[in-house]
Amino acid sequence: MSSIAITLPDGSERSLKTGSTAADLAADIGPGLAKAALVATINGEQRDLDVPLADGDSVGLITDSSDDGLEVLRHSTSHVLAQAVLALWPGSTFAIGPAIDDGFYYDFDLPGGQTFTDDDLERIDAKMREIIGADQPFIRGEVPADEGMALFEGHKYKQAIIERVTSPDAALDAEMASEVDAAGTVSFYRNSDDFIDLCRGPHVPSTGRLGHFKLMKVAGAYWRGNEKEPMLQRIYGTAWSNKKELKQHLHRLEEAAKRDHRKLANELDLVSWPNELGPGLAVWHPKGALVRKLMEDYSRDRHEHGGYHFAYTPHIAKAALWETSGHLDFYADGMYPPMELDGATYYPKPMNCPFHVMIYKSDQRSYRDLPLRIFELGTVYRYELSGAIHGLLRSRGFTQDDSHIFATREMLEDELASLLDFVLSVLRAFGFEDFQAKLSTRPPEKAVGDDEIWDMATEGLRAALEKAGLDYIVDEGGGAFYGPKIDVDVKDAIGRAWQLSTIQADFNLPERFELEYVANDGERKRPVMIHRALFGSVERFFGVLLEHYAGAFPVWLAPMQVQVLPVAEAHDAFADTVTARLRGLGYRAETIAATDPLGKRVRAGKSNKIPYVLVVGDDDAANDTVGVNARGQDVERDVSFETFAARLANDVETHA
RNA sequence: GCCCGGGUAGCUCAGUCGGUAGAGCAAUUCACUCGUAAUGAAUAGGUCAGGAGUUCAAUUCUCCUCUCGGGCUCCA
């Protein structure tokens, strides 16, 4: 047979000469595609373009306009990074280098424990561009494992990978999966006489296809992600199909940096982290505290109307409580150390749950009392690793909007459904519209509770998600040992996902604390507990809101809602009456007296992201009007006070 | 906790190849009284994160500590 038939993704067939490769197919279809194609899918599997095709193959061509193509491009760029580093640091060795979101990384071990500095990135970048300029082909080879070991003589991490993936019971981890095939043979790619890398592939045909990349940063990373293993030197980069995409990505990073809540907290005078306090401990300045109070007030109001009972509990408790709860057994590392006094040992609380359990236990409970919903804004202290601390998003002292719901098994499903509705409703009130949920089910080992209750709770959570019409993924076996859970992520204004709310069933604490209620048949039964945090932590939620709104809080949350600017000193008195009237209506308003020029005061108001900056002059004093500068909008002159007040009222009412 | 990089005025930063520091903004005072994103001038403000070492001399070099940032790990 001198020709083969190939099926294309659209179902059409194409006839090619025997021995043709995927690259030939691309060329046959058109020169544009020949240039753009990076890899092929052959019968559903990604392969290099130089792979010969067989009669009857289904073949698709992947370009850099697809996610798959970008991934290949990034993976190939990581190889070029490795080649550059190995060339520049003789004696260095390399571990793994996968594609990741937006880019790639590669882990290295430099001789003599050397480390990269930021300056090294420039040298590496230059070397990489040299390699790309040389347009070296990526040539695949395959050898048995033992030959592979010889091929990577002196490269212990590569050898470890070969051993790992070719051992019969190799549990392939995801990171290594991109390195090799687990079929007793290993594949590698040769770019030049000096460089080969263990790799499953596929790769772009040659290094000349690459180039729109930027090395971003140097970081330490443990070999195999295990803190017991050696620390390797990781270089991160970003790579795109063209210059414009790369530029846009860098621009997005800049925009995200502008929204950094730590930067905004400083600029807007909301929160600070004095070194004197210690890592992960913040002080809330008046403006930040005001926003937080508004958030908390809103939360309390919703909970009050949602059938919750408020509670307050202490910040410390004796060791016995934490022994019963189990925290000292499995969470001691995360707890602040104990305080000894009066012959007893006290711990700061890392969680509120045991206290709410105490409230439950303070009385004999009937099924008629259930569900019992306890709510507290409870401040907890956790000893987070110093390197894990991140502004308000991860701190050592924070306030959970913590609810514990005690219910019977029979009530579980309805309760979970209404809880989820409640959570979503409150999140929407804060301007979040886009949600993604995760349902985590029973872990394969070590779980408490019988099958029946796990099923009931898991199905209850699933039903709640279905009923709410929420997108969700299932993390099989991802639940805690004490019960299944739902985590809710929200997407912010620039598309980043934040995990905020959680609803967790708990079969463990009711056992440990021997909780009971009297059922309608007089029997004593064990209730189920549900942990539910909505903001997660007030501090973290505040940080997320700050980034979501880029500091421009909606009117109902803005620490200062209106500034009134008299044009000149002659108008100070009228400005004061406008301010006083607004305050009388319950708004947060202030006059900025005419000591500075108007332009300067307008600018300051805008910089502080004040929702409304009003300017009042002669005309306004005469006609009881104001000049309205709404944040982000053009000036409106001669607006009557009443019209403006109605607009404010509407903004606050609708949370606009 | 681990790897890398930082810490200079309230803020954003410059600077000193070792001779104890500078700008802009902010603050204060004075003048200007102004209809929409920075009026002008003057003044004040710093143990150059802290400690130790080397040196005639350290903010600068070295070491340690604290702390911040980026990652890793962790977040039952």
Side-chain angles (χ1 to χ4, degrees):
Chain A
M1 197 198 299
S2 61
S3 73
I4 53 174
I6 300 300
T7 309
L8 297 179
D10 65 2
S12 65
E13 284 212 352
R14 222 170 169 94
S15 175
L16 292 173
K17 273 194 299 190
T18 302
S20 293
T21 64
D24 296 330
L25 171 66
D28 190 55
I29 294 171
L33 187 57
K35 209 171 159 190
L38 296 177
V39 292
T41 53
I42 302 179
N43 302 322
E45 222 175 294
Q46 282 192 21
R47 303 296 300 272
D48 295 317
L49 281 183
D50 61 6
V51 169
L53 301 176
D55 190 42
D57 279 349
S58 271
V59 182
L61 294 161
I62 297 178
T63 68
D64 60 20
S65 62
S66 72
D67 287 348
D68 286 344
L70 267 179
E71 191 181 330
V72 169
L73 185 148
R74 288 166 180 156
H75 186 189
S76 296
T77 307
S78 86
H79 275 234
V80 174
L81 167 61
Q83 186 176 349
V85 168
L86 263 58
L88 291 170
W89 278 265
S92 59
T93 188
F94 51 158
I96 62 172
I100 53 175
D101 285 353
D102 303 333
F104 58 91
Y105 68 78
Y106 219 114
D107 287 346
F108 300 96
D109 192 3
L110 300 184
Q114 287 179 72
T115 54
F116 294 118
T117 65
D118 288 343
D119 294 338
D120 291 331
L121 292 185
E122 274 181 47
R123 291 172 56 207
I124 298 168
D125 183 277
K127 188 77 187 172
M128 286 174 72
R129 295 195 191 277
E130 203 178 288
I131 293 165
I132 287 167
D135 197 20
Q136 300 172 355
F138 280 88
I139 299 166
R140 184 185 176 93
E142 289 180 28
V143 291
D146 55 342
E147 282 181 41
M149 293 297 278
L151 206 51
F152 289 95
E153 183 68 49
H155 291 294
K156 61 179 177 178
Y157 297 105
K158 294 296 179 190
Q159 292 186 332
I161 294 166
I162 293 172
E163 282 175 355
R164 188 170 167 76
V165 299
T166 56
S167 70
D169 57 351
L172 260 183
D173 48 286
E175 280 189 319
M176 306 238 174
S178 66
E179 300 298 316
V180 281
D181 272 324
T185 66
V186 297
S187 56
F188 61 88
Y189 281 77
R190 180 182 295 279
N191 289 59
S192 69
D193 292 342
D194 314 316
F195 183 75
I196 56 170
D197 192 359
L198 184 67
C199 189
R200 188 183 58 176
H203 279 289
V204 299
S206 67
T207 57
R209 298 298 189 97
L210 311 171
H212 304 290
F213 73 92
K214 180 173 162 59
L215 299 181
M216 303 300 287
K217 56 204 167 196
V218 180
Y222 298 109
W223 166 235
R224 293 179 53 196
N226 182 339
E227 61 180 323
K228 305 275 192 291
E229 300 280 357
M231 173 73 69
L232 303 172
Q233 294 285 305
R234 176 172 297 177
I235 294 177
Y236 282 94
T238 186
W240 298 84
S241 57
N242 58 57
K243 198 171 176 177
K244 191 176 162 201
E245 299 267 343
L246 172 63
K247 205 173 152 190
Q248 282 175 349
H249 174 69
L250 297 176
H251 181 70
R252 280 195 297 276
L253 291 181
E254 274 174 35
E255 288 303 303
K258 279 185 200 160
R259 290 172 176 258
D260 189 308
H261 75 281
R262 293 161 303 183
K263 181 177 153 74
L264 290 169
N266 179 38
E267 287 171 2
L268 300 174
D269 191 19
L270 304 172
V271 174
S272 66
W273 292 266
N275 285 349
E276 289 84 345
L277 304 197
L281 301 170
V283 291
W284 291 69
H285 302 193
K287 285 184 205 164
L290 179 53
V291 177
R292 175 173 172 167
K293 178 180 177 294
L294 292 162
M295 291 166 55
E296 292 180 353
D297 287 348
Y298 181 79
S299 169
R300 286 202 183 89
D301 185 59
R302 291 295 305 267
H303 280 86
E304 191 170 356
H305 288 95
Y308 289 78
H309 303 284
F310 293 177
Y312 293 96
T313 67
H315 287 215
I316 60 173
K318 288 196 288 191
L321 184 76
W322 307 111
E323 280 162 12
T324 305
S325 71
H327 285 97
L328 279 178
D329 284 339
F330 57 75
Y331 197 67
D333 288 350
M335 292 172 69
Y336 269 78
M339 295 170 272
E340 305 283 344
L341 71 171
D342 293 342
T345 304
Y346 291 81
Y347 283 89
K349 65 174 170 184
M351 297 183 192
N352 301 299
C353 340
F355 297 87
H356 293 183
V357 166
M358 291 297 112
I359 294 168
Y360 182 90
K361 275 177 77 95
S362 68
D363 201 353
Q364 185 177 63
R365 303 294 176 181
S366 151
Y367 73 97
R368 294 171 188 275
D369 300 327
L370 307 184
L372 177 67
R373 306 185 187 96
I374 303 290
F375 171 75
E376 176 179 14
L377 290 169
T379 303
V380 299
Y381 296 90
R382 296 183 184 176
Y383 187 75
E384 300 287 355
L385 290 179
S386 59
I389 289 166
H390 185 87
L392 292 173
L393 301 182
R394 189 91 178 268
S395 58
R396 284 182 171 166
F398 60 94
T399 305
Q400 294 180 302
D401 59 333
D402 210 359
S403 290
H404 293 95
I405 294 129
F406 302 88
T408 70
R409 292 181 171 217
E410 294 72 30
M411 295 169 181
L412 202 50
E413 183 169 338
D414 285 348
E415 187 63 20
L416 291 171
S418 76
L419 272 175
L420 186 61
D421 283 345
F422 182 78
V423 165
L424 296 179
S425 161
V426 175
L427 290 176
R428 288 194 176 102
F430 281 93
F432 295 111
E433 292 297 334
D434 207 349
F435 307 111
Q436 168 77 50
K438 182 172 75 179
L439 171 63
S440 301
T441 65
R442 182 174 190 156
E445 294 155 19
K446 62 152 192 175
V448 299
D450 54 68
D451 289 349
E452 185 201 15
I453 198 163
W454 271 91
D455 289 346
M456 281 177 79
T458 308
E459 287 318 306
L461 289 169
R462 194 188 301 274
L465 288 165
E466 299 283 352
K467 196 169 156 225
L470 212 55
D471 269 348
Y472 68 98
I473 56 168
V474 179
D475 181 8
E476 290 292 347
F481 71 90
Y482 53 75
K485 65 173 178 176
I486 293 175
D487 293 313
V488 180
D489 285 2
V490 304
K491 272 205 180 154
D492 73 9
I494 58 172
R496 296 171 303 177
W498 304 88
Q499 201 227 299
L500 296 174
S501 311
T502 179
I503 299 174
Q504 311 192 1
D506 186 345
F507 317 131
N508 183 44
L509 286 184
E511 288 291 333
R512 283 180 165 269
F513 284 98
E514 299 180 330
L515 302 188
E516 290 181 337
Y517 66 90
V518 180
N520 60 359
D521 57 5
E523 288 284 305
R524 294 185 182 240
K525 293 193 174 162
R526 188 132 291 164
V528 178
M529 211 172 144
I530 304 167
H531 305 256
R532 195 241 56 195
L534 202 161
F535 293 159
S537 113
V538 178
E539 291 84 349
R540 179 177 154 84
F541 193 80
F542 177 92
V544 172
L545 272 187
L546 198 47
E547 302 212 1
H548 175 59
Y549 288 120
F553 286 112
V555 176
W556 74 285
L557 281 174
M560 184 55 63
Q561 295 168 317
V562 185
Q563 284 186 340
V564 186
L565 277 45
V567 170
E569 256 170 45
H571 314 111
D572 279 359
F574 178 66
D576 281 339
T577 66
V578 171
T579 296
R581 284 154 80 194
L582 288 169
R583 286 185 177 170
L585 293 169
Y587 300 110
R588 298 180 288 279
E590 63 184 347
T591 302
I592 307 294
T595 44
D596 281 322
L598 182 62
K600 183 168 182 172
R601 286 175 288 146
V602 169
R603 180 183 157 85
K606 300 275 186 188
S607 303
N608 285 317
K609 303 181 193 282
I610 308 290
Y612 290 105
V613 175
L614 304 185
V615 173
V616 294
D618 288 330
D619 297 350
D620 299 300
N623 303 315
D624 196 27
T625 58
V626 293
V628 178
N629 297 268
R631 191 172 52 200
Q633 292 175 37
D634 292 337
V635 182
E636 300 164 63
R637 290 285 297 272
D638 306 319
V639 177
S640 80
F641 180 86
E642 297 308 326
T643 304
F644 175 68
R647 179 169 174 182
L648 256 187
N650 181 62
D651 286 347
V652 170
E653 174 71 25
T654 60
H655 285 192

